[in-house]
Amino acid sequence: MSTRFPFTAVVGQQDLQLALLLNAVAPNIGGVLVRGEKGTAKSTAVRALAALLPEVEVVAGCRFSCDPASPDPACPDGPHTVEAAEARAARMVELPVGASEDRLVGALDIERALAEGVKAFEPGLLAAANRGILYVDEVNLLHDHLVDVLLDAAAMGASYVEREGVSVRHAARFLLVGTMNPEEGELRPQLLDRFGLTVEVAASREPDQRVEVVRRRLAYDDDPAGFAARWADEESAVRQRIVAARELLPKVRLGDGALKQIAATCAAFEVDGMRADIVMARTATALAAWDGRSDVLAEDVRQAALLALPHRRRRNPFDAPGLDEDKLDQTLEESAGEDDDPDPGPDGPGGGGQPSPDEGPQGGDAGARPEAGDDGEPQPTPGGAGEQAPARAAEPFRTKALTVPGVGAGAAGRRSRARTERGRTTGALRPRGALTKLHLAATVRAAAPHQRARGRSGPGLVLRRDDLRQAAREGREGNLVLFVVDASGSMAARQRMSAVKGAVLSLLLDAYQRRDKVGLVTFRGTAAEVALPPTSSVDAAAARLESLPTGGRTPLAAGLLKAHDVLRVERLRDPSRRALLVVVTDGRATGGPEPVALAGRAARLFGAESVASVVVDCESGPVRLGLAGRLAEELGGTAVTLEELRADAIAGLVRDVRGTTSRRAA
């Protein structure tokens, strides 16, 4: 087994280390979500924590790591005898992003069922992680239903398996740690709330600290065992401190004053539900035990809030994570009782709080942008002739589902119909290549008529390769919704761009919940640009849309060709993800040589590739040229007016797209 990097040798990640250690002291806190950019020692610190956990006493031979002092009466491997006990190191089990539900929770032991004719349970990773650490790297890329399963198990301390004729309940108490890079997409708010604590990590900007990081890493790479030996004393001290804190934890007193501060803080930051209050109480108690105290102080409540509330105060995915420390200090001071410690410590009131992420650097409206003048006309910006200030997005709204016609085979999501590894079983088929999901009933039916001819004499079936059947399942996939938006002056763009931005943000919010990608291409002046590369990161999308400028000529062909290039690249990166093209324009083409003919040729590229598309017609005035309708015909899609770009109308757009695509296929 390779030597792990020592936990105490990690440089400059004190908040991350503290959150992990508090969960080691009190696993009922609910785990840690570590958010941050790549290369910030997230995985290194988590893997190093396992070496600090005390050894655990387990029942010898129990696959579920039952405690000999109080064995689980419902353990599938029970009943246990107290004498059969052994000590072993606490395990750290890693859940791969591509793991199946069977791998996570366990399933029927197919081999024994078919060969011996007995019904037996094969444990999954939740069983292996019992009384240890379950680590999920890139948890934001894990499928939602798997995240739901493991968070439910972490909250209840048990896993319930009801499938394929198997009904099993077993203990599943573990320290849950997830890491993620927000640039690759966010977790849904419902899932964020299920993690007890969250920590934001970033690489230090201090040269001396960065030098020390490199120095230690190089020393470890040259001699892992020698490097670990130099940190052995520090590691041993932390290990002993964890044991002492665990022993002290039941004796820590959480007084009424501290409870009042916890309740007041959660109310002040308007977090949903009561989970935040409970997590803060457990965290504050663990902090006191970690410091060797039997009473919870105001400084414990403050630190607990900084760890437990930032990911819960987000009202929607467009809000930046974080906590206003000035507001926190004021709330704690106002709610302090007579018996509370008046000095909350060096990090207490007046201790260098930072402005809210929703405010500018000076706490004022530093991010305000120029608005329209009193006459309602857009005001020019210093950027150049014809360019207008970026329009504010209209208020996002709830959209009805956009769906792509047919049945795809893309990444699992919540939008269009698709053949997936998960979902409802629709039938059985002969496997093409490796068998990934056995259809048990169909396999038994295929093998049953041949048992006498094959000389079966025992309880098990005699199987051949030709008997195996693959389960055919249908679920939902995630799609790519690519907007191509005319940002030229011909659109009288400010009012329309405000509505378009609001619609795109609404679809981004919907895509965030349905595991889609959304992209944005804009065209104006003499060229087109990818304003928003295909992404699932709502925060990045909102920022790009807010600053989108308008004005200039209308290079429609350039916009379409840029969109075609984006889809071409995405097909190489993710060939199974299907796309829906939404072009928002009045249909005019005024940029470049032969603009109308070139735009027509560019549009026919999408029609030839059967890309589902819709054109939102932004033409206004009493005389309409119908240019957007002609563009839709070239694309092989349909055209609607700008006024139809509403929540109920968007669903109608997709119905039109489906009808058009079906007619084209026929």
Side-chain angles (χ1 to χ4, degrees):
M1 180 177 179
S2 61
T3 303
R4 289 189 175 124
F5 193 92
F7 185 83
T8 51
V10 175
V11 179
Q13 299 294 0
Q14 289 82 3
D15 287 345
L16 169 58
Q17 291 174 306
L18 178 61
L20 292 172
L21 290 169
L22 291 177
N23 272 271
V25 172
N28 62 356
I29 287 174
V32 185
L33 176 64
V34 187
R35 297 164 44 93
E37 58 197 32
K38 53 187 177 292
T40 50
K42 300 189 298 294
S43 300
T44 299
V46 175
R47 292 189 173 98
L49 178 67
L52 296 179
L53 297 182
E55 287 190 338
V56 293
E57 291 282 335
V58 299
V59 174
C62 177
R63 297 174 297 169
F64 303 88
S65 303
C66 280
D67 186 351
S70 57
D72 183 2
C75 178
D77 285 355
H80 297 302
T81 59
V82 178
E83 293 77 13
E86 62 182 9
R88 62 161 174 78
R91 291 173 179 163
M92 190 189 77
V93 177
E94 296 194 38
L95 174 62
V97 170
S100 65
E101 187 174 353
D102 289 349
R103 185 76 184 94
L104 178 62
V105 302
L108 177 69
D109 189 333
I110 298 297
E111 183 177 348
R112 293 190 62 190
L114 295 179
E116 303 175 21
V118 298
K119 184 168 65 175
F121 178 67
E122 180 68 24
L125 294 177
L126 292 180
N130 188 33
R131 305 179 67 200
I133 299 174
L134 181 61
Y135 173 47
V136 188
D137 196 14
E138 305 294 352
V139 66
N140 53 322
L141 303 182
L142 194 67
H143 195 274
D144 279 356
H145 87 280
L146 291 183
V147 180
D148 286 329
V149 168
L150 69 90
L151 289 174
D152 284 342
M156 296 186 296
S159 175
Y160 296 85
V161 184
E162 299 281 351
R163 56 192 309 166
E164 297 169 337
V166 174
S167 179
V168 172
R169 174 236 175 248
H170 66 81
R173 296 181 178 87
F174 48 81
L175 194 170
L176 175 65
V177 183
T179 61
M180 60 175 283
N181 183 349
E183 294 178 357
E184 297 172 344
E186 288 280 3
L187 278 171
R188 291 185 292 118
Q190 298 92 325
L191 300 180
L192 278 173
D193 182 59
R194 299 296 296 276
F195 279 94
L197 308 180
T198 187
V199 179
E200 296 279 339
V201 296
S204 173
R205 300 298 183 258
E206 293 292 332
D208 291 343
Q209 197 170 77
R210 296 176 73 97
V211 167
E212 186 61 23
V213 170
V214 175
R215 182 182 290 118
R216 293 187 186 183
R217 185 69 209 191
L218 293 178
Y220 170 77
D221 291 341
D222 289 341
D223 182 10
F227 183 82
R230 291 196 293 274
W231 289 88
D233 291 342
E234 288 83 353
E235 295 283 284
S236 178
V238 173
R239 190 179 298 110
Q240 294 172 10
R241 190 174 176 183
I242 292 174
V243 174
R246 285 184 174 182
E247 294 175 352
L248 179 60
L249 186 64
K251 305 172 186 176
V252 175
R253 187 181 71 89
L254 182 64
D256 290 342
L259 280 172
K260 180 180 178 182
Q261 287 186 312
I262 290 171
T265 301
C266 292
F269 285 96
E270 299 180 344
V271 295
D272 294 330
M274 295 298 298
R275 184 175 286 118
D277 303 64
I278 296 171
V279 171
M280 274 191 65
R282 290 171 175 168
T283 305
T285 303
L287 279 162
W290 179 248
D291 285 341
R293 291 182 276 102
S294 58
D295 286 294
V296 174
L297 305 180
E299 64 189 72
D300 300 322
V301 176
R302 185 181 192 278
Q303 184 63 57
L306 292 175
L307 293 171
L309 296 188
H311 60 304
R312 292 186 167 91
R313 65 159 291 276
R314 298 178 61 155
R315 308 308 298 173
N316 61 60
F318 302 115
D319 294 336
L323 209 64
D324 185 340
E325 295 191 34
D326 288 337
K327 181 178 179 180
L328 172 60
D329 292 332
Q330 181 181 356
T331 301
L332 292 174
E333 184 176 358
E334 291 174 351
S335 59
E338 295 180 358
D339 296 333
D340 293 320
D341 184 352
D343 181 11
D347 295 327
Q354 300 176 355
S356 165
D358 297 329
E359 299 175 353
Q362 305 300 323
D365 192 16
R369 290 173 292 274
E371 287 297 333
D374 294 338
D375 57 358
E377 291 297 320
Q379 301 299 302
T381 63
E387 184 171 312
Q388 301 170 0
R392 286 186 181 273
E395 189 69 22
F397 50 81
R398 182 172 296 277
T399 69
K400 294 183 179 179
L402 286 163
T403 58
V404 175
V407 179
R414 298 187 171 190
R415 188 170 298 279
S416 302
R417 294 174 56 203
R419 295 178 295 276
T420 63
E421 290 295 320
R422 307 173 185 90
R424 63 187 181 90
T425 301
T426 58
L429 44 83
R430 292 180 181 272
R432 298 177 180 176
L435 180 70
T436 58
K437 190 65 179 178
L438 179 72
H439 193 298
L440 181 58
T443 299
V444 171
R445 285 196 299 269
H450 310 290
Q451 295 305 296
R452 179 174 296 180
R454 294 173 183 175
R456 172 185 170 183
S457 58
L461 289 175
V462 180
L463 291 177
R464 300 287 185 267
R465 172 69 184 177
D466 290 343
D467 299 330
L468 299 178
R469 295 294 183 269
Q470 174 85 23
R473 296 189 169 189
E474 183 175 301
R476 294 282 170 175
E477 66 176 0
N479 299 117
L480 168 61
V481 181
L482 182 62
F483 282 84
V484 182
V485 179
D486 186 346
S488 67
S490 70
M491 296 272 290
R494 189 165 189 78
Q495 180 178 358
R496 292 197 175 108
M497 284 303 299
S498 177
V500 168
K501 285 184 179 181
V504 175
L505 286 175
S506 302
L507 288 168
L508 271 169
L509 177 57
D510 186 61
Y512 169 83
Q513 297 169 338
R514 297 180 185 275
R515 291 300 208 197
D516 292 321
K517 285 185 176 180
V518 177
L520 174 64
V521 172
T522 63
F523 55 94
R524 67 185 186 93
T526 59
E529 65 173 346
V530 182
L532 174 67
T535 181
S536 299
S537 177
V538 177
D539 295 335
R544 300 288 179 87
L545 289 167
E546 284 286 337
S547 59
L548 182 65
T550 59
R553 299 178 68 84
T554 312
L556 175 58
L560 294 174
L561 291 174
K562 180 68 72 173
H564 186 268
D565 188 54
V566 169
L567 293 182
R568 178 184 60 80
V569 173
E570 280 299 303
R571 277 195 290 269
L572 295 175
R573 291 176 177 170
D574 193 355
S576 60
R577 189 182 295 269
R578 297 184 295 162
L580 172 65
L581 184 73
V582 179
V583 185
V584 184
T585 181
D586 58 6
R588 296 176 185 271
T590 60
E594 299 184 354
V596 177
L598 185 58
R601 289 197 294 271
R604 286 192 288 275
L605 292 175
F606 295 95
E609 296 172 0
S610 299
V611 176
S613 60
V614 60
V615 177
V616 180
D617 185 358
C618 299
E619 189 175 24
S620 60
V623 178
R624 295 178 179 265
L625 303 178
L627 300 176
R630 296 178 199 171
L631 175 62
E633 291 178 3
E634 299 282 2
L635 288 167
T638 188
V640 295
T641 64
L642 181 64
E643 289 72 20
E644 293 172 307
L645 195 65
R646 298 179 294 108
D648 54 348
I650 289 175
L653 302 188
V654 180
R655 284 194 294 270
D656 290 341
V657 172
R658 296 182 61 147
T660 302
T661 306
S662 299
R663 289 193 298 273
R664 188 167 62 222

